Amino acid sequence: MTANIIDGKLMAQELREQLAQKVAHLPTPPHLAVILVGNDEASIIYDRNKKKAAEAIGMQCTIHHLDENTPQEELLQLIHRLNTDSAVNGIIVQMPLPKHFNSEQIIESIDHAKDVDGFGIYNIGLLHSNDSSAMVAATPQAVLYMLQQTLGNIAGKHAVIIGRSNIVGRPLASLLLNNHCTVTIAHSKTVNLPQIAASADILVSACGVAKLVKKEWIKPGATVIDVGINRIDGKLCGDVDFDEAKEIAEYITPVPGGVGPMTVTMLLNNTLRAYIEQNSGLKK
Ligand code: NAD
């Protein structure tokens, strides 16, 4: 058997067209503010891509690029200014920040109505309480969207997530639980990981270990979502050994061209949602 490929690039393109149509009908473009501190090359590329993607669907995106040595207080002041600027609908701070920053304090200083990354405690709390008004982090939303587009109803499926980070594993576990999956979270201390993974109807890997997931880790007919972004000899690859896995899974995402493009799209979706909520008086 050769698995069906879940084409994240195509899915993202279709969703972005729908978002562009919605944006075209708004009186003003939704505005995303991106704060980038320092000169980390990967972060600069990520943020440039976000701006390009936002502008391609008619949104406004401003990158505030600050010096590496910017003091915490100055960054907090900028966030306060953006929080109170009614022309800004979404604010994200590119992580990781340079070491001297207190990242938790920075994240918590973002108005929860503009927290389009969904990293703040308020939105995490709503998500964990199964409150649909939660602004949910983009990558977990991307994974859910891809699963629903591929499988339809996922209620009752056993989902195993490898990784328990605050930006992928944990919020994804809540999201899948809220969508009636039976969820197992595995991590670096998990015992018998291959056996646990092989019991999954839906296997999501978000651990950042290149080609960790082998054929024996996959139940025949399972759906495999690979969130990992790794490099071997400069070449991009996921957490899943794709060539092996595609022989046994029914559906699988590639890396690149899987979860990545959908993540940026979900960030734009969150920004549009924030705009609508702020302008309809649903949220302050
Ligand atoms: P992280 O380092 O914060 O967390 C990794 C998690 O994996 C931890 O919970 C750890 O316990 C677990 N882990 C590590 N090694 C393991 C092992 N050998 N077995 C089982 N579990 C193990 O990483 P993160 O920020 O959650 O990102 C994970 C991966 O996803 C990275 O490769 C990252 O680049 C990628 N990522 C991709 C996107 C996307 O849009 N495609 C978005 C975010 C992150």
Side-chain angles (χ1 to χ4, degrees), residues 27 84 94 109 174 186 193 202 211 248:
T84 50
Q94 182 64 47
S109 72
S174 285
L193 181 52
I202 294 168
K211 300 194 179 185
I248 190 148

Side-chain angles (χ1 to χ4, degrees), residues 6 13 23 38 44 68-69 153 226 229 235 248 253 265-266:
I6 304 174
Q13 193 187 325
V23 168
I44 291 171
E68 174 101 36
N69 299 314
N153 188 6
D226 192 351
I229 302 174
K235 199 168 164 244
I248 190 148
T253 60
T265 311
M266 286 303 173

Side-chain angles (χ1 to χ4, degrees), residues 1-60:
M1 183 170 92
T2 297
N4 299 295
I5 309 297
I6 304 174
D7 188 340
K9 221 172 148 185
L10 182 66
M11 252 183 218
Q13 193 187 325
E14 287 168 359
L15 190 54
R16 285 182 203 191
E17 279 164 18
Q18 292 170 28
L19 293 177
Q21 282 176 19
K22 289 181 186 163
V23 168
H25 286 95
L26 299 173
T28 53
H31 184 182
L32 173 66
V34 177
I35 301 174
L36 169 65
V37 186
N39 291 308
D40 176 65
E41 232 174 273
S43 297
I44 291 171
I45 294 170
Y46 287 149
D47 289 346
R48 204 181 290 150
N49 286 342
K50 285 171 196 159
K51 184 173 166 68
K52 220 169 115 188
E55 289 176 348
I57 63 159
M59 284 187 182
Q60 191 183 342

Side-chain angles (χ1 to χ4, degrees), residues 139 162-165 167-168 187-188 193 206-209 227-229 260 263:
T139 305
I162 306 176
R164 58 176 163 182
S165 74
I167 63 165
V168 189
H187 46 79
S188 53
L193 181 52
C207 66
V209 181
V227 180
I229 302 174
T263 292

Side-chain angles (χ1 to χ4, degrees), residues 22-276:
K22 289 181 186 163
V23 168
H25 286 95
L26 299 173
T28 53
H31 184 182
L32 173 66
V34 177
I35 301 174
L36 169 65
V37 186
N39 291 308
D40 176 65
E41 232 174 273
S43 297
I44 291 171
I45 294 170
Y46 287 149
D47 289 346
R48 204 181 290 150
N49 286 342
K50 285 171 196 159
K51 184 173 166 68
K52 220 169 115 188
E55 289 176 348
I57 63 159
M59 284 187 182
Q60 191 183 342
C61 178
T62 308
I63 298 181
H64 299 264
H65 195 166
L66 308 183
D67 185 83
E68 174 101 36
N69 299 314
T70 302
Q72 172 99 358
E73 206 41 52
E74 201 175 310
L75 178 51
L76 287 170
Q77 278 166 15
L78 170 61
I79 292 172
H80 178 70
R81 261 207 330 275
L82 297 171
N83 279 342
T84 50
D85 182 348
S86 61
V88 171
N89 309 106
I91 304 168
I92 60 175
V93 178
Q94 182 64 47
M95 296 289 163
L97 283 168
K99 283 199 169 55
H100 67 278
F101 283 99
N102 175 342
S103 300
E104 286 75 27
Q105 190 191 19
I106 296 295
I107 290 170
E108 288 315 313
S109 72
I110 298 172
D111 181 341
H112 58 75
K114 297 188 178 185
D115 173 24
V116 288
D117 257 343
F119 291 167
I121 296 292
Y122 180 85
N123 280 305
I124 290 172
L126 290 178
L127 170 65
H128 286 260
S129 323
N130 196 11
D131 186 319
S132 61
S133 69
M135 192 66 82
V136 181
T139 305
Q141 266 199 81
V143 173
L144 176 67
Y145 184 85
M146 295 173 95
L147 286 171
Q148 288 175 329
Q149 289 290 310
T150 306
L151 300 174
N153 188 6
I154 57 171
K157 305 263 185 221
H158 181 207
V160 174
I161 302 166
I162 306 176
R164 58 176 163 182
S165 74
N166 286 342
I167 63 165
V168 189
R170 284 170 201 264
L172 179 60
S174 285
L175 207 52
L176 294 182
L177 194 58
N178 295 347
N179 282 274
H180 315 295
C181 286
T182 303
V183 180
T184 302
I185 309 177
H187 46 79
S188 53
K189 301 280 190 286
T190 295
V191 179
N192 291 338
L193 181 52
Q195 289 88 328
I196 292 169
S199 70
D201 305 309
I202 294 168
L203 179 62
V204 183
S205 188
C207 66
V209 181
K211 300 194 179 185
L212 177 77
V213 178
K214 301 291 180 193
K215 191 164 72 182
E216 301 73 35
W217 295 39
I218 298 167
K219 178 159 115 179
T223 299
V224 178
I225 308 285
D226 192 351
V227 180
I229 302 174
N230 313 292
R231 277 183 196 276
I232 295 182
D233 298 330
K235 199 168 164 244
L236 274 184
C237 71
D239 294 348
V240 177
D241 192 324
F242 184 82
D243 291 335
E244 284 194 10
K246 75 175 181 355
E247 299 305 323
I248 190 148
E250 184 167 3
Y251 297 101
I252 188 166
T253 60
V255 178
V259 178
M262 278 303 303
T263 292
V264 179
T265 311
M266 286 303 173
L267 173 69
L268 303 178
N269 192 40
N270 278 353
T271 306
L272 174 61
R273 196 183 123 190
Y275 173 99
I276 293 168

